[in-house]
Amino acid sequence: VYGNAYESVKVSGQFLRNDGLFSVDSEKVSGKISFSGYGGDDAKLSVHLTRLAMRRSAHKPQSKTQKTEVHQPLIAIDAVIDKFELDDVERGAVTFRATPNNGRWDIGELSTITEMGTLTMRGQWQPGIQPKVEYEVEFNVEDVGLTSEQEWNH
């Protein structure tokens, strides 16, 4: 996932025509991944991971050469991660729901849920060499006193 390597991952599943269902299990990632309608306009990736631990990719300097845009078809994504860890810091549960719409994703939900509250974003994302993002953010706080005392580690 995004430049992360996972060791000793057990994978089982099946691929039938344009659909598939797989289970993955290791110390850093565990859960189920399914896809349907592969290669068609109604393609969808569904993910339910009980855990995912990853590290941010190292920043790579931009090349001076001219990059060309590669247009790949976007698919609908419905993903839930029960326990997400980034750079050895517990980040809570994550939900991501997106549908393709004329070369961009309409983000129905990108949220993270922690003991402090829920941070949710909705909007559009157009991938590419110069991606375009428009979104609205909503932050629902469980305990204002607890939230104001927390050291934000972002």
Side-chain angles (χ1 to χ4, degrees):
V1 178
Y2 298 108
N4 287 262
Y6 297 93
E7 298 178 6
S8 301
V9 179
K10 294 178 188 175
V11 178
S12 62
Q14 60 184 2
F15 181 76
L16 301 170
R17 295 187 188 187
N18 298 330
D19 302 327
L21 174 62
F22 298 90
S23 294
V24 294
D25 189 28
S26 75
E27 181 183 335
K28 301 281 187 182
V29 61
S30 180
K32 297 193 182 309
I33 301 169
S34 68
F35 56 91
S36 60
Y38 183 77
D41 290 338
D42 60 344
K44 181 176 182 179
L45 175 67
S46 298
V47 178
H48 183 194
L49 299 178
T50 54
R51 69 179 167 272
L52 175 62
M54 56 189 292
R55 297 199 164 279
R56 294 176 212 247
S57 298
H59 178 72
K60 296 178 184 175
Q62 293 291 332
S63 166
K64 299 283 185 194
T65 61
Q66 180 71 20
K67 294 183 180 180
T68 58
E69 199 72 38
V70 176
H71 295 283
Q72 296 180 332
L74 303 176
I75 62 171
I77 299 173
D78 186 358
V80 175
I81 304 168
D82 295 332
K83 182 181 175 188
F84 180 59
E85 183 180 298
L86 180 63
D87 296 332
D88 298 321
V89 176
E90 182 77 32
R91 301 293 179 166
V94 175
T95 300
F96 180 69
R97 294 182 188 353
T99 54
N101 182 2
N102 294 321
R104 69 172 193 250
W105 268 306
D106 287 340
I107 309 298
E109 177 182 6
L110 173 56
S111 63
T112 181
I113 303 166
T114 68
E115 69 278 353
M116 289 189 300
T118 304
L119 178 66
T120 304
M121 295 187 297
R122 293 178 179 85
Q124 292 86 34
W125 174 36
Q126 182 174 339
I129 293 174
Q130 295 185 355
K132 296 177 186 171
V133 179
E134 295 178 24
Y135 57 86
E136 296 176 1
V137 176
E138 178 181 321
F139 186 40
N140 293 313
V141 177
E142 289 295 322
D143 182 337
V144 175
L146 174 66
T147 303
S148 63
E149 291 176 10
Q150 290 289 325
E151 178 180 331
W152 289 83
N153 187 13
H154 300 284

